[in-house]
Amino acid sequence: MRISLTNYALPKSGAVVATVLKGGKLLPAAARLDKASKKALSRAIKGSRFSGDKGDWLEIIAPAGIDADRVLLAGVGGAADVSAVSLQNLGGNVVHKLATSGLKSATVVCDAIPGVKLEVTEMAAHIAYGANLGSYRFDKYRTTRKAKEKPSLSTVSIAVEGAGKARRAYAPLRAIADGVAFTRDLVSEPANVVFPESFAAECRKLANLGVKVEVLGEARMRRLGMGALLGVGQGSRRESQLVVMRWNGGRRSDKPVAFVGKGVTFDTGGISLKPGAGMEQMKWDMGGAGTVAGLMKAVAGRKAKANVIGIVGLVENMPDGNAQRPGDVVTSMSGQTIEVINTDAEGRLVLADALWYTQDRFKPQFMVDLATLTGAMIIALGHEHAGLFSNNDELAQRLSEAGQTVGEAVWRMPLGDAYDKLINCDVADMKNVGGRGAGSITAAQFLQRFVNDLPWAHLDIAGVAWADKGSPTVPRGGVGWGVRLLDRLVAEHYES
Ligand code: BES
Ligand code: ZN
Ligand code: ZN
């Protein structure tokens, strides 16, 4: 989709989108269209249930007196209803409503709204951002669709007073959307395409944006003593990888912030094999790593003034003659030993070494890890919140607020000694599962044993990494969850 910000004017063709306030009050563009069409719009409103509430839409095809082929009225509600996220949704909805309409172009005419704090140029930028996020498609493997099912819309313009300023406001948002799309691609690709080495190759491409990328193979990891991560990958024909991405946009003296992702490119469960039904979903068990890679693309793309480190542990969890067995004991890089009770609780084993390596090598200000870690997280929070676990109230608060602002909500879950005890073990320093209760919490406690005295947060994204149901800015499939949230966290608190 081509998305552009243009000077304020009504379009000569395609669809025109104009905004209406609660109570049916037409904003200037809508009022002009109404006048030009001899009140066709007012009549259409009267003959419908459209009242200008947020999320109301009314489509009027080919009204006389108007150049455009179609008018879409978008209800925005009252000033209090208008926010960055509501405008992004508006932009996403424009794309969805017109994608297969037969029209090639749409122009959203962006009017200022009295009482809204955002400048009109910022409003336009957020509409463009939403259209960008909402127009994402992962359809490269669909080759036999009928012409009528294919999208017709190829251009969305946002017309606004001060287009130059709006373009400058959109530039960083566009970089974030590029990061989100990168994550969505990685998450949606099947596991025969995205596996540890090909994922690492995708990360290497970020060098084009100035990201320093290092890839550690199995030999390097063995020398570092990463027995926990390597044990998970040992049943796979694919070589495990650890990718280190660094964006140095801050001052030399700024301590880096670090993000660590679980990248299980396919999780069969290993010898503790998962049931067959739904196993295909485990292609997205690299969602945490996907988010970290997309975040690096976002911060580099908008040249964030911060030092940001992204580390992803990439493995494939397979059953095999060489696979690790339940009962095996592995030694992690930290020196702590782990009895692997269940080979399907593999994400924590990968993160144990990735987290330890990150703090050991980079001594960051904080670490945030992301992982599709537990099915229990979906039982607890469904698909509406990611689970947040943290040893630091300030970091937890900042993550919660960033999530609120961008529309990626997190909900804090408890940690504590009583939970930690559940993974004590007679055979080794700990076991990798804690029993039936509190599955997401014992998984987080396990991770915490690999975090020394620094602020750390763990986001269990099992319920939010993939969407079966689309929304205006998130098509079905890989969500790209967390790129916006973490970018916001960095922008708000850690840029110089
Ligand atoms: N990747 C899964 C968790 C998962 C399940 C993510 C469903 C997304 C959707 C993880 O590796 C796993 O298998 N966890 C086990 C842990 C158990 C063996 C303690 C689980 O959740 O059942
Ligand atoms: Zn598993
Ligand atoms: Zn897993």
Side-chain angles (χ1 to χ4, degrees):
M1 192 75 59
R2 258 196 48 222
I3 292 160
S4 56
L5 291 137
T6 56
N7 288 325
Y8 189 93
L10 297 177
K12 297 281 175 234
S13 64
V16 58
V17 184
T19 46
V20 180
L21 289 173
K22 182 161 82 182
K25 178 165 174 12
L26 306 183
L27 286 159
R32 265 171 68 188
L33 291 164
D34 193 37
K35 196 164 166 217
S37 66
K38 301 210 171 69
K39 302 256 171 201
L41 271 51
S42 294
R43 283 183 53 206
I45 292 174
K46 251 174 65 194
S48 75
R49 284 191 156 168
F50 180 93
S51 64
D53 284 349
K54 182 167 88 172
D56 269 5
W57 288 87
L58 184 62
E59 230 173 302
I60 305 138
I61 296 186
I66 289 175
D67 294 334
D69 303 307
R70 199 181 287 208
V71 177
L72 256 73
L73 296 180
V76 295
D81 295 319
V82 179
S83 64
V85 170
S86 82
L87 293 162
Q88 291 159 22
N89 287 338
L90 191 157
N93 276 322
V94 167
V95 171
H96 294 300
K97 295 200 176 289
L98 295 168
T100 56
S101 61
L103 297 173
K104 290 201 184 74
S105 69
T107 304
V108 183
V109 189
C110 185
D111 283 309
I113 298 176
V116 169
K117 282 208 192 75
L118 293 165
E119 284 183 34
V120 72
T121 49
E122 289 173 310
M123 289 175 54
H126 281 287
I127 295 170
Y129 183 37
N132 184 331
L133 290 167
S135 67
Y136 175 86
R137 301 177 81 85
F138 186 82
D139 56 4
K140 62 198 268 202
Y141 299 118
R142 296 183 61 178
T143 65
T144 58
R145 254 176 313 171
K146 295 193 203 81
K148 275 200 174 166
E149 293 170 351
K150 289 191 182 151
S152 59
L153 192 73
S154 61
T155 311
V156 176
S157 309
I158 325 297
V160 63
E161 206 89 62
K165 197 168 175 200
R167 275 182 215 123
R168 287 192 291 282
Y170 177 52
L173 299 176
R174 184 183 172 158
I176 300 167
D178 286 345
V180 173
F182 183 44
T183 303
R184 288 175 179 173
D185 282 344
L186 287 166
V187 171
S188 294
E189 284 286 2
N192 60 333
V193 175
V194 165
F195 46 87
E197 280 174 313
S198 64
F199 190 122
E202 287 301 314
C203 294
R204 277 207 171 94
K205 293 182 187 163
L206 297 177
N208 294 331
L209 293 171
V211 178
K212 296 206 175 86
V213 185
E214 278 168 74
V215 180
L216 282 61
E218 289 184 356
R220 281 278 294 284
M221 288 193 271
R222 196 157 294 115
R223 284 201 294 279
L224 287 163
M226 294 188 174
L229 184 154
L230 289 168
V232 177
Q234 80 186 31
S236 170
R237 303 291 270 280
R238 311 284 194 187
E239 186 179 336
S240 301
Q241 312 269 283
L242 187 91
V243 182
V244 179
M245 294 165 273
R246 278 183 291 165
W247 167 253
N248 293 322
R251 287 181 295 243
R252 231 167 209 291
S253 55
D254 292 345
K255 264 190 162 188
V257 297
F259 300 92
V260 182
K262 166 181 173 181
V264 177
T265 60
F266 197 80
D267 182 12
T268 65
I271 296 300
S272 313
L273 193 63
K274 287 182 180 292
M279 201 201 276
E280 73 285 352
Q281 294 184 26
M282 287 298 106
K283 73 172 183 181
W284 49 265
D285 206 22
M286 34 55 67
T291 297
V292 170
L295 174 69
M296 295 310 292
K297 182 158 185 162
V299 295
R302 66 174 183 80
K303 301 203 183 325
K305 291 190 172 61
N307 298 330
V308 184
I309 291 171
I311 292 195
V312 295
L314 303 168
V315 302
E316 187 182 52
N317 188 21
M318 298 294 268
D320 178 78
N322 193 44
Q324 99 179 326
R325 293 148 291 256
D328 281 5
V329 175
V330 295
T331 303
S332 65
M333 185 183 173
S334 73
Q336 298 175 97
T337 56
I338 305 156
E339 185 185 15
V340 180
I341 301 293
N342 188 321
T343 64
D344 195 13
E346 84 299 339
R348 62 199 76 180
L349 297 169
V350 173
L351 286 173
D353 282 335
L355 284 165
W356 189 267
Y357 176 81
T358 303
Q359 68 183 354
D360 192 50
R361 176 167 169 198
F362 296 107
K363 318 246 169 331
Q365 294 186 55
F366 68 71
M367 295 195 286
V368 175
D369 76 73
L370 296 101
T372 49
L373 203 62
T374 62
M377 201 70 252
I378 310 176
I379 305 301
L381 298 177
H383 306 285
E384 315 309 327
H385 289 86
L388 161 66
F389 302 81
S390 183
N391 63 3
N392 183 282
D393 292 342
E394 184 184 59
L395 180 59
Q397 183 65 26
R398 288 176 172 184
L399 283 163
S400 298
E401 280 171 14
Q404 282 289 319
T405 310
V406 304
E408 294 180 328
V410 304
W411 195 263
R412 191 166 181 187
M413 303 281 290
L415 289 165
D417 285 344
Y419 294 112
D420 183 69
K421 283 202 181 74
L422 300 174
I423 53 172
N424 284 343
C425 176
D426 292 337
V427 172
D429 296 334
M430 69 195 87
K431 54 187 176 181
N432 76 329
V433 292
R436 259 173 61 77
S440 304
I441 306 175
T442 52
Q445 293 293 162
F446 183 96
L447 299 181
Q448 194 175 7
R449 290 193 181 201
F450 299 87
V451 177
N452 289 332
D453 201 14
L454 85 167
W456 154 79
H458 156 59
L459 293 167
D460 191 333
I461 62 170
V464 293
W466 185 268
D468 288 323
K469 216 170 75 214
S471 69
T473 53
V474 183
R476 285 197 302 278
V479 170
W481 192 96
V483 174
R484 284 177 280 172
L485 186 161
L486 298 175
D487 179 82
R488 173 81 191 185
L489 175 78
V490 171
E492 188 94 338
H493 300 289
Y494 302 97
E495 292 200 37
S496 51

PDB file of all heavy atoms in Angstrom, residues 262 267 285 346 372, ligand 3:
ATOM      1  N   LYS A 262      12.648 -15.299  23.137  1.00  0.00           N
ATOM      2  CA  LYS A 262      12.572 -16.745  22.910  1.00  0.00           C
ATOM      3  C   LYS A 262      12.305 -16.985  21.429  1.00  0.00           C
ATOM      4  O   LYS A 262      11.296 -16.538  20.900  1.00  0.00           O
ATOM      5  CB  LYS A 262      11.443 -17.363  23.745  1.00  0.00           C
ATOM      6  CG  LYS A 262      11.066 -18.807  23.323  1.00  0.00           C
ATOM      7  CD  LYS A 262       9.922 -19.395  24.151  1.00  0.00           C
ATOM      8  CE  LYS A 262       9.461 -20.759  23.612  1.00  0.00           C
ATOM      9  NZ  LYS A 262       8.335 -21.343  24.364  1.00  0.00           N
ATOM     10  N   ASP A 267       8.127 -25.729  17.922  1.00  0.00           N
ATOM     11  CA  ASP A 267       8.099 -26.434  19.206  1.00  0.00           C
ATOM     12  C   ASP A 267       7.188 -27.656  19.107  1.00  0.00           C
ATOM     13  O   ASP A 267       5.978 -27.558  19.281  1.00  0.00           O
ATOM     14  CB  ASP A 267       7.598 -25.480  20.306  1.00  0.00           C
ATOM     15  CG  ASP A 267       7.592 -26.137  21.683  1.00  0.00           C
ATOM     16  OD1 ASP A 267       8.174 -27.236  21.826  1.00  0.00           O
ATOM     17  OD2 ASP A 267       7.008 -25.536  22.613  1.00  0.00           O
ATOM     18  N   ASP A 285       6.228 -20.038  17.843  1.00  0.00           N
ATOM     19  CA  ASP A 285       6.860 -20.073  19.168  1.00  0.00           C
ATOM     20  C   ASP A 285       8.174 -19.275  19.190  1.00  0.00           C
ATOM     21  O   ASP A 285       8.898 -19.284  20.181  1.00  0.00           O
ATOM     22  CB  ASP A 285       7.093 -21.531  19.586  1.00  0.00           C
ATOM     23  CG  ASP A 285       7.135 -21.708  21.091  1.00  0.00           C
ATOM     24  OD1 ASP A 285       6.595 -20.839  21.795  1.00  0.00           O
ATOM     25  OD2 ASP A 285       7.725 -22.708  21.548  1.00  0.00           O
ATOM     26  N   GLU A 346      10.695 -25.822  27.136  1.00  0.00           N
ATOM     27  CA  GLU A 346      12.012 -25.557  26.541  1.00  0.00           C
ATOM     28  C   GLU A 346      12.358 -24.073  26.461  1.00  0.00           C
ATOM     29  O   GLU A 346      13.531 -23.715  26.457  1.00  0.00           O
ATOM     30  CB  GLU A 346      12.083 -26.176  25.143  1.00  0.00           C
ATOM     31  CG  GLU A 346      11.496 -25.337  23.992  1.00  0.00           C
ATOM     32  CD  GLU A 346      10.005 -25.045  24.140  1.00  0.00           C
ATOM     33  OE1 GLU A 346       9.325 -25.778  24.888  1.00  0.00           O
ATOM     34  OE2 GLU A 346       9.514 -24.072  23.541  1.00  0.00           O
ATOM     35  N   THR A 372       6.734 -16.611  24.112  1.00  0.00           N
ATOM     36  CA  THR A 372       5.487 -17.383  24.095  1.00  0.00           C
ATOM     37  C   THR A 372       5.757 -18.566  25.019  1.00  0.00           C
ATOM     38  O   THR A 372       5.995 -19.678  24.580  1.00  0.00           O
ATOM     39  CB  THR A 372       5.182 -17.856  22.663  1.00  0.00           C
ATOM     40  OG1 THR A 372       6.367 -18.450  22.109  1.00  0.00           O
ATOM     41  CG2 THR A 372       4.744 -16.703  21.781  1.00  0.00           C
TER      42      THR A 372
HETATM   43 ZN    ZN B   3       7.668 -23.331  23.403  1.00  0.00          ZN
END
